[in-house]
Amino acid sequence: MKFEFHPSYKPALIFGVCIQVSWLALLYFFTYHIFPFALIPAVAYWLITPVIIFRHPQPTRLDLQLVRSGYFFYCVLAILVALAYLALHR
């Protein structure tokens, strides 16, 4: 069984991967101590993006936006969770 996703996902995926790789490289080379925390949103992106693609073969604007720049939404979410964790354990 061969699954082909909608062609509009391809530019969104390429854009999302390029942003993620460049951001992770920047963090790795300049602030190595933050790099492990940037991997958490990266893993979330790579777990949730296939769900979006397989769940919605015909993408909506929201699906394309999440695939294109979803990594930054997960970064913001990770920062908020880290701040909440820090506030609870003071």
Side-chain angles (χ1 to χ4, degrees), residues 33-84:
H33 60 283
I34 297 175
F35 180 71
F37 297 106
L39 287 178
I40 296 168
V43 169
Y45 178 82
W46 287 108
L47 290 175
I48 294 173
T49 298
V51 172
I52 292 171
I53 292 173
F54 291 133
R55 183 92 171 154
H56 300 118
Q58 185 66 31
T60 63
R61 287 181 59 197
L62 179 63
D63 295 335
L64 292 174
Q65 182 66 27
L66 285 174
V67 170
R68 188 179 305 114
S69 60
Y71 175 69
F72 287 113
F73 297 124
Y74 301 133
C75 282
V76 170
L77 181 64
I79 289 169
L80 293 175
V81 168
L83 289 174

Side-chain angles (χ1 to χ4, degrees), residues 2-63:
K2 184 178 178 183
F3 179 79
E4 293 183 16
F5 54 87
H6 199 270
S8 62
Y9 276 125
K10 186 175 182 179
L13 269 173
I14 291 171
F15 184 78
V17 169
C18 288
I19 285 177
Q20 184 177 10
V21 167
S22 61
W23 181 250
L24 287 173
L26 181 77
L27 287 176
Y28 181 77
F29 290 120
F30 293 114
T31 57
Y32 183 74
H33 60 283
I34 297 175
F35 180 71
F37 297 106
L39 287 178
I40 296 168
V43 169
Y45 178 82
W46 287 108
L47 290 175
I48 294 173
T49 298
V51 172
I52 292 171
I53 292 173
F54 291 133
R55 183 92 171 154
H56 300 118
Q58 185 66 31
T60 63
R61 287 181 59 197
L62 179 63
D63 295 335

